[in-house]
Amino acid sequence: MASLTLREVTKAYGATQILKGIDLEVADGEFVVFVGPSGCGKSTLLRAIAGLERVTSGRIAIDGRDVTQERASERGLAMVFQSYALYPHMSVYRNIAFALENLRMPREEIDARVRRAAKMLRLEPYLDRKPGALSGGQRQRVAIGRAVVRDPKIFLFDEPLSNLDAELRVATRKELAALHAEIGGTIIYVTHDQVEAMTLADRIVVLQAGKVEQIGAPLDLYNRPANRFVAGFIGSPKMNFLAAGSAPLAALAAPAGARTFGVRPEHAMIARDGEAADARLSVDIVERLGGESYAYGALQDGAPFCVRAGDALAARRGDSIGVRFDRARLHWFGEDDLALGA
Amino acid sequence: MSSTQAPTQAAPKPAREGLGGRVVAAALGLFDAPMAWLQRALGLGAMPYAFLAPNVLFFGVFVFLPIAINLVYAVTGGVNIYPSQRPFVGADHFRALGDCASFLDPATCREDHFWRGVRNTLVFTFFQMIAMVGSALVTALVLNRRIVARGFFRAVFFFPVLLSPVVVALIWKWILQRDGLLNAALVAAGGEKILFLVEPTWAMAWAIFVSVWAHMGFYTLILLAGLQAIPADIYEAAEMDGTPPTRVFWRLTLPLLWPNLVVVLVLVLIRGVQTFDEVFVLTGGGPGTATLMVVQYIYETAFANPVQNFGLAGAASILLGALLFALTMLQLALARGKSKEARA
């Protein structure tokens, strides 16, 4: 297991800057998730750490040792690919053993390690099968097994769950969390799914357009987003944004320099009869999920807005309902979109 | 959705726009009347056979009929070209071809040229296969890398495939003959002339080389397609696994390329056995019979010799055809085995 340090890492393809100076410290044993929209550079950053992409400038160090100029094979890392990248002509056993054979490890040692990994990942019945004869979830576990047997310094996961169906994704997510608890390795995990990021990470790195927007524990990002982008990216449904000084905010005292106001749907409430409302929502759509409901519509000044309600929201399309904001959970952003008073 | 919006009408037929479209539509319309008439005359059930008929007719006239006629010639004798005037001789021609004191020495055979042709064809095919597959594989591996002007080099290696075999042979003849380009270069460099097409070993070696040069691009293309079908992330996984380049080649590239390699091997084998035109133009089968191939023997026996022995040539053709049929079956079996394994 190892720590990782990135200093001013940049990557450019010709004139296109993909990574614009990334600084990051990952502690030994930490589970760090890179999250961001498509094209934000998160996969490129992971591949740069792996050594599959050369960085344009900057430094990458593993356990304090500079590996920037080292080949991927020399860095001692293991990667689980989005496509799994299993060797199609080899059995599950050979797939998992392949890297160990490269190390010229004794045969008994290889066998012991492969069987241990297969047991942990419930792959024992499939060791003689080829990847083509496995389900998506089983292939996924083979790919993880291939990484685990090597006892790598750092595990790299590149969107490993994106090819699984929704149910399997949830199950595999839990298995990954359990796996990390069991083997305790340093893990860097790339995803565009903020639920995966929130549930798996010790710390989340939010990336956008090749830059780090914020690094922090999942709940810190949720409760104290550093800027408007992170506020909008973390949380589902998205945070509502209103222009500071607009009519629905008349009852609120905006801090100096505020340009944008933000409140999450779960921190807005529907005003009961007789209760004073901050704003009025004209309802377009109501989503009823069973345990909770979301009402989408527009406030009196036309700004789109979403509010979470209990399971028995009776409102229908065209209704006008009063909305109150939870005074303790409001966010204000300045001219530069940075959070105010954080 | 607003209910005031008119539903879009589904067009009954795609309207053809512009002059070109109308011309095409009019041209296609010309077939409507005869097709309708044909369908009325034959009934709907017979229409597929009506569409197949022209092709089957051509195939029959130019493939099946010659095979049948060849059979007739093989079992009849004499020099007459009309089958009705040829006496039936049974398996005489096959017996003549097989009349050898020792099959290891063509000189002891009644039809020594046939057996020399067989031996030359085997030697040619064997060495040509090794040289062809080896060089096509190396070329494909190089062209699959990110090299400068990759597209240009791909075209360069494929270009000879587009040339007529006769053109290829003539070009190389001008290079290799006694007063050819290569000897001029040798002399200019202070060396002595080498009789490339007169020395038996040189002649066979050059025949193999020219054949490889002319056809390698085609096999390179097949192998290149196979290499490009191997997903790049498998190589990245191998890199992460710390795999040395030689092991990547033997354990990943070669096994994953195997289906394409089998296709190439068998095609080279089949076409090697069929070799005629290039070698015939380059060396004429000479010196002596050093580069005489089976197909050339058949051609000369039937058409070029003073006595045109159609029967003997027909019998030799049947033997050659049987060999090619066996090779084709081998290819089918290997290809099926592979695709079954891939599905497993």
Side-chain angles (χ1 to χ4, degrees), chain A residues 160-240:
Chain A
L161 306 186
S162 56
N163 286 339
L164 302 179
D165 63 50
E167 198 179 333
L168 199 53
R169 199 177 306 162
V170 174
T172 313
R173 204 168 70 203
K174 285 186 199 145
E175 283 176 20
L176 275 175
L179 188 75
H180 181 236
E182 190 176 334
I183 59 178
T186 311
I187 294 181
I188 297 175
Y189 186 106
V190 163
T191 181
H192 62 265
D193 180 345
Q194 52 109 0
V195 178
E196 264 172 47
M198 294 294 283
T199 51
L200 287 170
D202 293 327
R203 276 197 305 157
I204 295 176
V205 178
V206 182
L207 290 159
Q208 192 211 2
K211 284 198 295 214
V212 173
E213 293 285 343
Q214 190 173 1
I215 303 177
L219 286 182
D220 284 345
L221 298 193
Y222 177 81
N223 291 323
R224 286 183 293 282
N227 55 45
R228 190 178 154 173
F229 176 79
V230 175
F233 194 78
I234 300 289
S236 176
K238 283 176 63 151
M239 185 183 278
N240 298 297

Side-chain angles (χ1 to χ4, degrees), chain A residues 47 71-73 77 81 83 85-89 98-99 101-102 146 150, chain B residues 233-234 236-244 247 251-252 255-256 341 344:
Chain A
R47 291 169 57 83
R71 299 171 58 89
S73 52
L77 313 180
F81 292 81
S83 61
L86 301 178
Y87 308 126
H89 57 301
F98 193 73
E101 289 167 8
N102 289 337
R146 202 164 61 170
R150 290 179 47 206
Chain B
D233 57 11
I234 285 184
E236 291 186 339
E239 170 80 11
M240 294 303 295
D241 279 348
T243 318
R247 199 167 134 88
R251 294 294 304 277
L252 297 178
L256 292 172
E341 191 177 305

Side-chain angles (χ1 to χ4, degrees), chain B residues 55 102 122 219 233 254 318:
Chain B
N55 215 0
S102 160
L122 289 179
Y219 302 109
D233 57 11
L254 212 53
I318 286 168

Side-chain angles (χ1 to χ4, degrees), chain A residues 140-157:
Chain A
Q140 171 65 61
R141 297 211 296 276
V142 176
I144 294 171
R146 202 164 61 170
V148 168
V149 278
R150 290 179 47 206
D151 202 5
K153 290 179 183 156
I154 300 173
F155 291 98
L156 308 173
F157 286 87

